[in-house]
Amino acid sequence: MFSLRPKPKKVASTPFSDFIRNASSAEKKKVYKVVLERATERQQRVLFQAATAK
């Protein structure tokens, strides 16, 4: 049986994909923690700006 969808082309590995594939659970948790903290800070800034813009 054949597929009507073409196979997706493989792309070169990126530093991010290498990290996700090769980092330990502890390393990933450290990175995720920083990313989530920064995202939360940005969201809080946006909400503050929206609240004070009125």
Side-chain angles (χ1 to χ4, degrees):
M1 180 172 229
F2 66 93
S3 174
L4 296 177
R5 283 189 251 159
K7 288 185 179 180
K9 294 180 182 177
K10 290 190 178 186
V11 296
S13 183
T14 64
F16 179 72
S17 64
D18 289 340
F19 172 78
I20 295 299
R21 192 172 18 263
N22 300 320
S24 69
S25 177
E27 290 173 314
K28 289 177 190 176
K29 285 178 184 176
K30 286 181 191 176
V31 171
Y32 294 155
K33 181 177 184 247
V34 172
V35 169
L36 289 173
E37 286 171 350
R38 289 182 183 172
T40 300
E41 289 170 2
R42 276 188 242 134
Q43 288 174 351
Q44 289 174 341
R45 277 197 305 266
V46 168
L47 291 173
F48 177 77
Q49 289 171 349
T52 58
K54 292 181 178 181

